[in-house]
Amino acid sequence: MSTKRQRFRLTDTFTAASIAHRFYTQGRSKLEIAEEFGISRFKVARILSSAQESGLVRIEFDLPVPVDLPLSDEVRAAYGLRRVLVLNRAQSKADQPELRRRIGALAAELLTELATPDDVIGLAWARSVNAMAEAVKSLPKCPIVQLCGVQAGMDMRDRSVETVGRVAAVGGGDAYPIYGPLVLPDRRTTDILRKQPGIVETFDQFQQLTKAVVSIGAWQPGESTVYDALTPSERDSIGRRGATAEIAARLFDENGNALSTGLAHHVLAITHDQLRRVPEVIALGYTEPKAEAIDAVLRSGIVTTLITDAAAVDRILNLAARRPPE
């Protein structure tokens, strides 16, 4: 079958342009156009299709945000998500800090649009979530809840306690922070901290969450808050059990199954089951090295909305094609 585009003769070009103008600009129906030109509406449809194929008519979308619409739709359909925002290729070609800022800006715009006064919004620690917090300019008055403890060694401005406070201040709602480390040395220490009044108050909010913003981490150096907080032997042990991805200090295998390890008793964080019950989970996952982790988390069914970049999507779609999500 030839792939050569149809070329119009000059007279046909004027006819096709007239038909296209009536359809796309004047908003007239194919039946009305067919009656005017004395042809069938099926021929009108063929002429409109040929006009696009030949380049006579070009359809462009001037979106208010730098999103690749076809890629977004393709990922959404592949994983059965509610919505997907893929940062377009031009915007994706940036160094890591700038890419993070752009992903955060997209997330801020979406959260601003979706949030209502009836929401209880959870935030997991991540640099991309912090970037979102910096970009949020307007929110209704609703509670903002920290989903996991503070990673040791982080600059105070980048810690989740400060992020929750900044976002809550935008709308004037209550902030529910967790004043405790993300990873604790043993179960006894974890149990003691979970009984502290302030932490109990925050953990009680997990049952009320209506929306959550989380980041997808990969089980590799520099790509997961939990991975970087553990000793090499602990990382290797968990890796051998099949750890592929992490969100809010909770681990997943390559099929999106919740991974049960001893780590669950050493972190201050929302549980898998609590996160699964949140009606809207917005996940930020980007860059090609995180593609397998993003794929794994999307297979879990927890995420409803993904914000990502074009580089990650190329790999994600290959993974979905090779092993279609159930």
Side-chain angles (χ1 to χ4, degrees), residues 21 53 108 149 174 199 225 291 314:
H21 179 75
E53 292 173 2
D174 293 331
I199 293 178
T225 54
D314 290 338

Short mmCIF file of all heavy atoms in Angstrom, two decimals, residues 21 53 108 149 174 199 225 291 314:
data_model
loop_
_atom_site.label_atom_id
_atom_site.label_comp_id
_atom_site.label_asym_id
_atom_site.label_seq_id
_atom_site.Cartn_x
_atom_site.Cartn_y
_atom_site.Cartn_z
N HIS A 21 -13.15 25.11 5.01
CA HIS A 21 -13.45 26.39 5.66
C HIS A 21 -14.86 26.37 6.25
O HIS A 21 -15.06 26.81 7.39
CB HIS A 21 -13.33 27.53 4.66
CG HIS A 21 -13.65 28.88 5.24
ND1 HIS A 21 -12.79 29.55 6.08
CD2 HIS A 21 -14.76 29.66 5.11
CE1 HIS A 21 -13.34 30.70 6.44
NE2 HIS A 21 -14.53 30.78 5.86
N GLU A 53 -4.51 14.92 5.29
CA GLU A 53 -3.39 14.07 4.88
C GLU A 53 -2.42 14.81 3.97
O GLU A 53 -1.21 14.59 4.01
CB GLU A 53 -3.91 12.81 4.19
CG GLU A 53 -4.66 11.86 5.12
CD GLU A 53 -5.30 10.71 4.37
OE1 GLU A 53 -5.12 10.65 3.12
OE2 GLU A 53 -5.95 9.88 5.01
N ALA A 108 1.11 21.68 40.42
CA ALA A 108 0.48 22.78 41.15
C ALA A 108 -0.77 23.28 40.43
O ALA A 108 -1.80 23.53 41.06
CB ALA A 108 1.48 23.92 41.32
N GLY A 149 7.33 10.50 57.31
CA GLY A 149 8.26 11.26 58.11
C GLY A 149 9.32 11.99 57.31
O GLY A 149 9.34 11.96 56.07
N ASP A 174 -5.82 23.80 57.94
CA ASP A 174 -4.99 23.23 59.00
C ASP A 174 -3.88 22.37 58.40
O ASP A 174 -4.08 21.68 57.39
CB ASP A 174 -5.83 22.36 59.93
CG ASP A 174 -6.83 23.17 60.74
OD1 ASP A 174 -6.54 24.36 61.01
OD2 ASP A 174 -7.90 22.63 61.07
N ILE A 199 1.65 13.01 66.35
CA ILE A 199 1.73 12.03 65.25
C ILE A 199 0.42 11.24 65.15
O ILE A 199 -0.06 10.96 64.05
CB ILE A 199 2.94 11.10 65.45
CG1 ILE A 199 4.23 11.93 65.29
CG2 ILE A 199 2.92 9.94 64.45
CD1 ILE A 199 5.51 11.14 65.51
N THR A 225 13.75 7.94 48.38
CA THR A 225 14.07 8.47 49.71
C THR A 225 14.38 7.35 50.68
O THR A 225 15.28 7.46 51.51
CB THR A 225 12.89 9.30 50.24
OG1 THR A 225 11.70 8.51 50.21
CG2 THR A 225 12.67 10.55 49.41
N ALA A 291 11.48 4.69 34.67
CA ALA A 291 10.40 4.13 33.87
C ALA A 291 9.86 2.82 34.43
O ALA A 291 8.64 2.63 34.52
CB ALA A 291 10.86 3.94 32.42
N ASP A 314 8.47 7.22 26.67
CA ASP A 314 8.96 6.33 25.61
C ASP A 314 9.22 4.94 26.15
O ASP A 314 8.83 3.93 25.55
CB ASP A 314 10.24 6.91 24.99
CG ASP A 314 9.98 8.17 24.19
OD1 ASP A 314 8.84 8.38 23.76
OD2 ASP A 314 10.93 8.96 23.99
#
